[in-house]
Amino acid sequence: MRKSQGISYAKIILIGEHAVVYQQPAIALPIRSLTVTATLIPRTDDRQQIASIFYQGSLADAAQTPFAGIATLIRRLLTFFEAPAQGFDLAISSMLPPERGMGSSAATAVAIIRAVYQAFDAPLPHDSLLNWANVSERIIHGNPSGLDAATASATAPQWFVRGQAPTPIDFPTTGSLVIADTGVPGQTKTAVASVAAKLTQDPAHYQPLIEAIGQATSQAALALAQDDLPLLGRQLTISQNALRQLGVSSPALNQLVAAALNAGALGAKLTGSGQGGCMIALTKAPAQAVHLRRALEAAGATTTWQYDLVESEDPS
Ligand code: MEV
């Protein structure tokens, strides 16, 4: 093992969350200005130490903590590389707020997998990276579609259908997204399980909402291809209405969505698993995003970020 570093990004789901679990398409983008960095340094003794804002301590003691899923991933990676007793210091530094729909757990997994592969000088095919990320995502989230890991490991926006290889999708170069945090944590596992329960109890009522989100996502792809920001905005709001009826919005999210639309946003919706976390709103141009951020902060957003769509261009 040698010293190594892995990097990944925050993800924002533009459209398609929850429905993507049930085979509908989704569109998500990595936010390259918000990174997770995993730095792995071998030790000469056999201590396996982790330092992060989520967990501080030994790998062995992480079993009963919220870090357990990531700890299992690390253990299985070390076993795969035939080095289960290798001592190390692993430092994880994250710019992502946890449990806010930005894919913190998937991004942490991706950064660690990259660091471990680099530490053992092993090539890491993309499908293998996504399969490894699924190990911790399954423990943390129960039934992950794989969208979060696919986006956290990408450098460009992705069109994603569960079980298929993600493909990059072009974004217009005008327009901006404002991301606003309600300040309330949202648990992906709980939100995904609540949608599953509704679909089981009353499929005739809830299945059409899943399909409506899928249709809005296909329309959003058309809007992106035709640089039609008003059409895109309308699809975001359509999907928010379906997500609200699926029970994954919240009063704080509804309030921010209403404030964004009142302030002239082309469309607005929650992003990620909901029941807390963040929302997004679309504007025609970066200049209007400044006004929108102020309106969202006045409506109670604890933090806002601006993402100009031009940033989506792949640097590689
Ligand atoms: C969570 O970021 C996105 C969900 O669609 C769950 C998933 O895709 O695994 C809610």
Side-chain angles (χ1 to χ4, degrees):
M1 186 189 236
R2 65 176 174 89
K3 183 180 172 187
S4 64
Q5 197 162 67
I7 291 178
S8 63
Y9 304 119
K11 70 103 211 313
I12 286 295
I13 301 178
L14 181 70
I15 190 163
E17 53 273 271
H18 286 290
V20 70
V21 173
Y22 302 96
Q23 230 56 54
Q24 299 291 336
I27 302 169
L29 49 138
I31 307 285
R32 294 196 307 268
S33 55
L34 295 179
T35 54
V36 176
T37 307
T39 307
L40 193 54
I41 301 175
R43 294 176 63 112
T44 46
D45 60 23
D46 61 0
R47 293 184 65 199
Q48 300 181 320
Q49 289 296 117
I50 293 153
S52 74
I53 52 158
F54 322 107
Y55 176 73
Q56 294 269 357
S58 74
L59 183 66
D61 289 345
Q64 301 307 323
T65 73
F67 199 75
I70 297 287
T72 299
L73 170 68
I74 296 169
R75 258 194 306 277
R76 291 197 193 165
L77 281 163
L78 291 174
T79 303
F80 175 72
F81 283 106
E82 297 176 4
Q86 168 70 50
F88 62 80
D89 285 306
L90 172 64
I92 304 159
S93 85
S94 175
M95 294 161 78
L96 283 64
E99 300 186 330
R100 294 298 206 284
M102 286 204 185
S104 172
S105 64
T108 302
V110 167
I112 289 172
I113 297 158
R114 284 181 166 153
V116 172
Y117 266 69
Q118 195 189 89
F120 290 101
D121 284 318
L124 177 57
H126 198 62
D127 56 345
S128 189
L129 169 66
L130 299 185
N131 288 339
W132 275 118
N134 230 3
V135 169
S136 49
E137 287 292 275
R138 263 198 306 268
I139 298 168
I140 299 166
H141 290 164
N143 182 17
S145 67
L147 173 63
D148 289 10
T151 314
S153 60
T155 51
Q158 303 289 306
W159 169 265
F160 182 90
V161 177
R162 188 172 190 166
Q164 297 178 15
T167 50
I169 180 168
D170 280 348
F171 269 35
T173 50
T174 57
S176 293
L177 286 173
V178 171
I179 306 158
D181 188 354
T182 59
V184 181
Q187 293 270 348
T188 303
K189 194 172 196 163
T190 316
V192 169
S194 76
V195 172
K198 285 193 167 74
L199 282 165
T200 307
Q201 278 153 20
D202 192 352
H205 180 69
Y206 290 106
Q207 185 57 33
L209 296 171
I210 298 289
E211 279 152 29
I213 295 172
Q215 274 158 22
T217 302
S218 296
Q219 283 296 302
L222 181 70
L224 289 170
Q226 297 178 348
D227 286 352
D228 189 339
L229 293 175
L231 176 63
L232 177 60
R234 286 198 295 280
Q235 305 316 310
L236 300 188
T237 308
I238 288 170
S239 85
Q240 167 63 18
N241 290 335
L243 290 164
R244 195 168 39 71
Q245 291 175 67
L246 280 169
V248 291
S249 196
S250 71
L253 284 164
N254 294 342
Q255 190 173 320
L256 293 185
V257 167
L261 296 175
N262 282 338
L266 296 172
K269 62 180 275 294
L270 67 86
T271 184
S273 58
Q275 298 183 338
C278 290
M279 54 79 70
I280 54 171
L282 180 71
T283 64
K284 243 193 234 144
Q288 289 154 355
V290 178
H291 163 69
L292 190 54
R293 285 179 79 168
R294 267 193 231 115
L296 286 165
E297 281 157 17
T302 53
T303 315
T304 61
W305 296 264
Q306 181 175 337
Y307 179 89
D308 298 335
L309 298 191
V310 69
E311 292 172 50
S312 67
E313 284 180 346
D314 196 335
S316 56

